[in-house]
Amino acid sequence: MSLLDSVVRRTRTTLHRTAPGLGRRARHAVSPWRRSLSLRVVSITLLVSSLLVAAFGYFVAKQITAGLVVAKRQAAVRQVSSGAGTVTQQLAALSGAQDPQLAASVRDVVVNLYSVPTRAGTYEVKLVPDSRIDVAPYGGPAPDQTKIEVPAALRDTVSRKGALAYQFTTANPDGQGSRPYLAVGEHVDVGWGVFDLYYLFPLDDEVAAANLVRNTTIIAGLALVLLLALMAAIVARMVVTPVRAAARTAQRLSAGLLHERMEVRGEDDLARLAASFNQMASNLQNQIVRLEELSRLQRRFTSDVSHELRTPLTTVRMAADMLYAGRDEFPPAAARSSELLADELDRFEALLTDLLEISRFDAGFAVLDAEAVDLVPIVQRVAAGFGVLAERLHAPVQLHTPDGPVIAEVDPRRVERVLRNLIGNAIEHGEHRPVEVHLAADERTVAIAVRDHGIGLRPGEEKLVFNRFWRADPSRARQTGGTGLGLSISLEDARLHGGWLEAWGAPGQGSQFRLTVPARAGDRIVSSPLPLVPPDADVSPAPLALPAGPAGSGGAAGTLDDEPTPHAPDADPLTAGSTRGGGDE
């Protein structure tokens, strides 16, 4: 039994090693067929035309050969019938089977029959007397031709039925190989006795003609197939070349070369296609330019307004601070108003700061100040900062960090801001349950996961969470005084690191956010040391894991099995979705 197990293990290992190679070779073999339209058109044309030409050639060759055989048989039957009349005319004059001139007459009849010209071509004659007539059979044109024997089945049919019959046979009279013959026999009654007359017609000319027809058909068929394949290749090239040009132009357009256009030649359908494509490209270019201008104006407006608000906000802040400091001398209503004014100014100032940060991301001016830091103290410091809020909401923050340091080249200010947003949201939406923060690392990546056991997500909400100012429950009171831009900024911070910010959630199961960044700045990440779906989840819905790649480039999206797709499209913070609210920190 152990020997059998060893054999099975070795076989399985061999299959695992060879199967990927076979699969790759099969994919490489199929790839040209799938990629090349010309190859498919020419191959299909070649296959179909080969089948049609082969069927047509077989039918034509068969019909011509059958026609040759029928013509030969008809001429042979007429010749035999004529020869039977000659035998009857010449042998009927004899007195009977005892006539002394019988043997000479038989030879003369055969010689005369052979000398008669006929449309059936060359032939050989055999005259076989009945068993009651005492004379030897004779064949011509020469005595050595008697070596060609008449088929026994034909002899039996002619003798027994007394009718004309024919049969195809082969013979080797000269010892140089078998040759095809048409044997025709007729029962001849001369009055005083019975003779069987046989003609043997060689079919060498018919075989040569059939071979000529077959060879001609094969050569003509091959030439026709090659000509059709050449025509298909030319037509496919005429059609595919503009399509390839359109594909190349579309790729250049998608790469940002908006001035690229197709060359228009002629006035046919392909020319109209190229003209329509160029018109579409021009319209797209105009729309993109217009949208870029609108986006630039919007970013400039946001930046200008944010900067312009700084001065009046500073003045209002100074006045509000003076009112807040002297609120004890005010009546209760005025004191409360000064407190509300101070709180709202704090929130307004935070919102203004976030708007300035968003405008920097939109303008592409955000810069990563990466340095090698230990992430454990950062996580502990952020968690400690929420101690009062966590105690008030009965949602303690539980840290799960490695015993040793976790060193990574990151921007500590941006990582700390991401953690503040994630932990603050988890506390606020945790429904008075503990919040778990996990930190893990491997050789190339570092991951931080924030898990809450709160309300979770309804289907479809995972597509909206990173939208700016989006909230899962608009009627829900904010506990942390956030601006609604926290998760959008966190997503951009993660992208700036070349990392991912992903989310998972389920109704009643809470949610989990996972930040994954490379251990060395600039490295590309392909996996995360922490799972996106928490191990304690009872259900495993398919979350939308938003990529957070480097700014201006595509990131990778995580999946349930924690194997992100390396080439997933980049997510726009204005349209991206994930779990829960749009960020309240």
Side-chain angles (χ1 to χ4, degrees), residues 29 35 76 82 103 176 196 207 248 272 286 311 333 349 368 381 388 421 472 490 499 582:
R35 288 198 305 262
S82 176
Q176 297 181 359
D196 291 337
V207 171
R248 288 193 297 268
R272 288 195 294 272
N286 295 334
T311 300
E349 191 171 12
L368 185 69
R381 183 170 61 252
V388 177
N421 280 286
S490 298

Side-chain angles (χ1 to χ4, degrees), residues 178-220:
S178 298
R179 298 166 56 190
Y181 283 84
L182 172 62
V184 183
E186 186 172 1
H187 203 63
V188 181
D189 189 352
V190 297
W192 50 265
V194 178
F195 289 83
D196 291 337
L197 178 63
Y198 298 99
Y199 278 61
L200 296 169
F201 298 91
L203 299 178
D204 297 338
D205 295 339
E206 285 72 20
V207 171
N211 291 334
L212 177 63
V213 169
R214 184 188 64 216
N215 295 334
T216 303
T217 303
I218 292 175
I219 295 174

Side-chain angles (χ1 to χ4, degrees), residues 238-314:
M238 294 174 59
V239 176
V240 170
T241 299
V243 175
R244 290 176 177 172
R248 288 193 297 268
T249 305
Q251 290 175 352
R252 295 191 182 101
L253 289 173
S254 64
L257 303 177
L258 301 180
H259 63 279
E260 289 289 334
R261 297 293 184 271
M262 291 182 62
E263 183 179 357
V264 180
R265 296 180 179 177
E267 299 179 356
D268 54 6
D269 295 336
L270 295 176
R272 288 195 294 272
L273 172 63
S276 300
F277 184 89
N278 291 340
Q279 183 64 34
M280 178 191 68
S282 298
N283 294 337
L284 287 176
Q285 182 180 12
N286 295 334
Q287 291 291 335
I288 291 174
V289 170
R290 187 174 66 87
L291 291 175
E292 286 180 348
E293 181 64 20
L294 290 176
S295 177
R296 186 183 65 81
L297 292 176
Q298 180 185 11
R299 291 195 300 268
R300 182 177 178 181
F301 174 78
T302 303
S303 179
D304 291 345
V305 169
S306 301
H307 282 285
E308 291 298 328
L309 286 177
R310 278 294 183 182
T311 300
L313 178 61
T314 302

